[in-house]
Amino acid sequence: MIVRRLIAVLGAGSLLATAGCGGSAPSGAAGDAAGSGDGPVRIGALHPVSGSMAVDGLQMRRGAQLAVEQINDSGGIASLGGREVRLATADTQGKPEIGQSEAQRLISDGAVGLIGTYQSSVSSNVAVVAERNEVPFVMDVTASDEIFQHGYRYSFRVQPGSAKISESAAEYLEQVSEQAGKPAERVAVLHEHTDFGTGAADAFETAAEKLGMEVGPRISYDATTASDFTSQITQVKASGADVLVVAGYYGDSLLIAQAVDAVKPDLDAVWGVSNGAYDQPKFVSDAGELGDRYFSTNYHFDAQNPETRRLREEYRQRFGAPMRTGAVLSYDAVQAIAAGVEEAGSTDPAAVRNGIARAEIDPLTVGDGPVRFGPDGENVNSAAVLMQIQNGRVKQVYPPEKAESDPDYSVAW
């Protein structure tokens, strides 16, 4: 079994991205194109680099780029005589139909595997294309569990799924609030209305009720059009909830924080679940003093790992911004496909798929061991961690074995 070590001492290579050309091809065409001669092994990356999710999408594209550079700087794919890897990119624009057509284009242009896509609705469409073409698709950020209920053979996921994150969020809330002497009793839920937010809310509600918490009100919204959450937070305030759970993207979650500050409901905590804002350095600067009041249960880069720290410092120097967890997951996803090619000794997508299923990689995100995919394509060692903004920094606070500091559930509101 091949274990690809993630060495985050990166060279300063150029952006290895190609746009490709249009057209479609039958199943197997990717292996034919990528496997001809001694050309580079092409990995397709689908992310939203325009539209409302562009900041995260660009971060993830750059994370994938850094992984490609690390692989090439380390000698390329050894089992193929040191062949280099090239990143072929596509902008999904945050639209499922664009993601679907771009996935087909990348496959037709010779991609041996795909990564992406940040949005569950887009990943759902890309998974169908990957399955039809028999090309592996390694999801970096995709929370929805519904994709993995179809028995797809070519879909894999690095991050923990929605149910795992949401169940952990409910357990951590129960444990942390009880340890603080303020057990959570009634929890309001605000969630964006697509597969991502609805799935997170469904799983959290089920887990919280099993633990004896009352859940309600539960309010959904459209993250692409929401501009103010005053009325929703007023409803939360009237309900008497002591905790507010938020499952949303960055912009909407920031607006919710601003509404909480304006309406001032009597809450013990705001608890992000698979949240796109409350564990981000940008939220710390955008929210100011509000940030210290927020928790988030999510996947996260491993702040205790020296290799992760070196990678994030390289990113900061190269791109002038902190590297977000999504970008680290994209890095891991590229490494997973490269490990599959290395294991297979081939660029035939079916062989690469089997190689991915056998390979292990050392992740730069929090987990319970190496990235290793089970029969259903899920990373069996994925794990969620609780974070809190403390003194202007996002810190891992729970469970204790993954914590940088203790959770502070008594922050004054």
Side-chain angles (χ1 to χ4, degrees), residues 255-277:
L255 289 171
I256 289 168
Q258 292 168 345
V260 168
D261 185 53
V263 176
K264 294 181 170 48
D266 186 18
L267 297 170
D268 291 330
V270 176
W271 206 262
V273 177
S274 296
N275 188 277

Side-chain angles (χ1 to χ4, degrees), residues 218-354:
R218 177 171 160 174
I219 308 166
S220 65
Y221 61 88
D222 185 344
T224 63
T225 60
S227 59
D228 182 84
F229 286 89
T230 301
S231 63
Q232 292 93 331
I233 298 303
T234 299
Q235 185 178 347
V236 170
K237 181 176 182 178
S239 74
D242 43 57
V243 176
L244 171 62
V245 160
V246 182
Y249 292 107
Y250 185 87
D252 46 300
S253 296
L254 177 60
L255 289 171
I256 289 168
Q258 292 168 345
V260 168
D261 185 53
V263 176
K264 294 181 170 48
D266 186 18
L267 297 170
D268 291 330
V270 176
W271 206 262
V273 177
S274 296
N275 188 277
Y278 301 153
D279 57 4
Q280 299 290 354
K282 181 174 172 54
F283 179 74
V284 176
S285 59
D286 287 350
E289 293 181 358
L290 302 180
D292 284 357
R293 305 167 181 177
Y294 287 75
F295 292 85
S296 179
T297 303
N298 215 335
Y299 49 81
H300 196 244
F301 64 81
D302 188 351
Q304 309 284 52
N305 187 333
E307 293 181 7
T308 305
R309 292 197 291 269
R310 285 195 292 269
L311 173 66
R312 297 188 72 242
E313 177 59 21
E314 172 70 16
Y315 186 100
R316 187 192 63 78
Q317 292 180 7
R318 289 274 295 274
F319 303 113
M323 188 181 194
R324 299 183 181 183
T325 298
V328 180
L329 282 163
S330 295
Y331 186 99
D332 283 354
V334 168
Q335 294 282 355
I337 293 179
V341 176
E342 189 78 80
E343 177 80 23
S346 169
T347 56
D348 174 69
V352 173
R353 180 262 169 218
N354 292 335

Side-chain angles (χ1 to χ4, degrees), residues 361-376:
I361 67 166
D362 295 334
L364 300 189
T365 45
V366 170
D368 294 326
V371 173
R372 180 168 58 85
F373 299 107
D376 59 356

Side-chain angles (χ1 to χ4, degrees), residues 117-151:
T117 66
Y118 186 64
Q119 294 160 286
S120 295
S121 57
V122 178
S123 291
S124 293
N125 283 25
V126 172
V128 172
V129 175
E131 197 71 18
R132 183 174 65 236
N133 286 273
E134 298 182 350
V135 172
F137 172 34
V138 179
M139 297 171 222
D140 39 29
V141 176
T142 295
S144 174
D145 295 326
E146 190 272 338
I147 297 170
F148 292 86
Q149 295 172 2
H150 300 291

